Amino acid sequence: MAEHWYTRDGEPCYEQVTQKGGLRATDLRDARKQGLVPSVTTILGVVAKPQLEVWKINQGILAALTLPRLDDEPEEDYLKRIMADSKQQAKDAAEEGTRIHDQIERSYKGLRVDEYYKPHVE
């Protein structure tokens, strides 16, 4: 999981300069040395999310209800297809969430926001 770190003043500190002058992602060791704080998303990554778990279960149930079983398909294969379909729904939702977050960040930076995401940003 990519973690984002910030100074106590709220300035992003996503990367560190390497000895060779390149860049690498800030890690926990850097954060401790520099007194950085984790992003809200990083913190939420370790918090229980009961509603999200219910949503994931519901996606599995919906996949099972909408995916017909193939002729002579072994139960194990059918279950794998159901799981793959339900995980795809979750992946698609997570990617959309990332796009929404990006648009909100663009708004805060004074950059143009995609017309489709303006209701989300507002």
Side-chain angles (χ1 to χ4, degrees), residues 12 20 22 27 29 68 89:
K20 294 182 180 180
D27 61 21
R29 182 181 301 161
Q89 296 297 320

Side-chain angles (χ1 to χ4, degrees), residues 31 35 39 48 71 86 100 109:
S39 69
D71 291 338
S86 67
I100 291 169
K109 290 179 176 178

Side-chain angles (χ1 to χ4, degrees), residues 38-119:
S39 69
V40 172
T41 305
T42 298
I43 292 169
L44 291 176
V46 296
V47 175
K49 303 171 199 73
Q51 288 304 109
L52 178 60
E53 293 309 312
V54 168
W55 182 83
K56 287 179 182 179
I57 290 167
N58 288 343
Q59 293 307 305
I61 292 168
L62 289 170
L65 291 171
T66 58
L67 281 177
R69 190 166 180 174
L70 304 175
D71 291 338
D72 299 322
E73 181 177 27
E75 183 175 290
E76 185 177 335
D77 293 348
Y78 181 48
L79 293 174
K80 284 179 184 176
R81 280 196 314 117
I82 291 170
M83 289 295 290
D85 186 75
S86 67
K87 285 181 180 180
Q88 185 61 48
Q89 296 297 320
K91 182 178 182 238
D92 293 347
E95 288 171 354
E96 179 66 359
T98 297
R99 288 189 290 273
I100 291 169
H101 278 226
D102 289 343
Q103 293 298 308
I104 292 169
E105 184 175 351
R106 289 181 63 80
S107 173
Y108 277 111
K109 290 179 176 178
L111 300 173
R112 187 179 92 52
V113 173
D114 186 299
E115 197 66 35
Y116 177 81
Y117 292 103
K118 281 192 177 178

Side-chain angles (χ1 to χ4, degrees), residues 16-24:
Q16 302 292 312
V17 178
T18 65
Q19 290 179 350
K20 294 182 180 180
L23 293 175
R24 64 171 176 76

